Amino acid sequence: MEKCILEIISKSDPDLVSSAASKIVSNECQNMCKRGSGSILQEKSYNSIFKFTWDDFNKEIQIKAPNTLKIISSMISDTVVQPKEKKYLHIMQSVALALHGRSEQMSCLQYQIGFILLHGACKQRVSFNFKIYCLGHTNL
């Protein structure tokens, strides 16, 4: 019955449904981004950066922000995405980037990218930008 009602409302007033969904996603993301929430993306120690896995991040999202995961996944694929697929990484990176946009504390992925670029082939330019980025972060 509820699904039928939602289907009717989504066809007649999709803005109402998307507004309600955005509130749900906003609450999930707000709770994940709170200081001390224990999110994987808040961990910036050497060990946590080098032990980071997409599977652990995915498990965290499934528990703390399942509706956010559903919405981001639906943007990238119409079918269920398996962890071995390229689209899986796009989903995980999109969620991580969005959470970093909400809170600078959620920056583990940005540290990893900066570290890879700093020690990769793009040393000069990225090194300068990465150092500027790190000035505001004392945990690196």
Side-chain angles (χ1 to χ4, degrees):
M1 177 104 165
E2 292 170 343
K3 287 184 181 182
C4 291
I5 293 169
L6 276 173
E7 188 68 31
I8 292 168
I9 294 171
S10 66
K11 287 182 181 178
S12 64
D13 194 356
D15 188 51
L16 184 65
V17 175
S18 63
S19 294
S22 70
K23 288 179 185 176
I24 293 168
V25 169
S26 177
N27 287 335
E28 287 180 348
C29 294
Q30 183 180 28
N31 289 333
M32 263 188 91
C33 291
K34 284 182 181 174
R35 286 183 193 259
S37 70
S39 175
I40 290 171
L41 293 181
Q42 290 179 353
E43 298 293 327
K44 293 180 274 295
S45 69
Y46 177 86
N47 286 334
S48 63
I49 288 175
F50 284 98
K51 289 182 182 178
F52 177 90
T53 66
W54 290 115
D55 292 334
D56 289 343
F57 182 52
N58 186 21
K59 288 174 189 172
E60 178 182 14
I61 297 169
Q62 287 178 355
I63 293 168
K64 295 181 179 179
N67 297 299
T68 302
L69 183 60
K70 286 178 190 175
I71 290 175
I72 298 293
S73 296
S74 71
M75 293 172 60
I76 295 172
S77 178
D78 294 333
T79 60
V80 176
V81 176
Q82 300 303 317
K84 303 289 182 194
E85 292 182 55
K86 183 179 178 182
K87 290 180 179 183
Y88 174 77
L89 290 177
H90 288 284
I91 293 167
M92 295 295 101
Q93 290 173 354
S94 297
V95 173
L97 186 61
L99 291 172
H100 182 256
R102 178 178 273 273
S103 169
E104 287 185 10
Q105 296 294 315
M106 305 291 277
S107 59
C108 180
L109 179 64
Q110 286 69 26
Y111 280 107
Q112 291 174 22
I113 292 168
F115 181 79
I116 291 166
L117 292 174
L118 179 65
H119 295 287
C122 304
K123 287 185 179 179
Q124 290 179 339
R125 187 172 200 153
V126 175
S127 174
F128 177 74
N129 291 335
F130 184 63
K131 286 177 185 172
I132 289 174
Y133 175 77
C134 291
L135 289 176
H137 296 80
T138 59
N139 293 353
L140 188 64

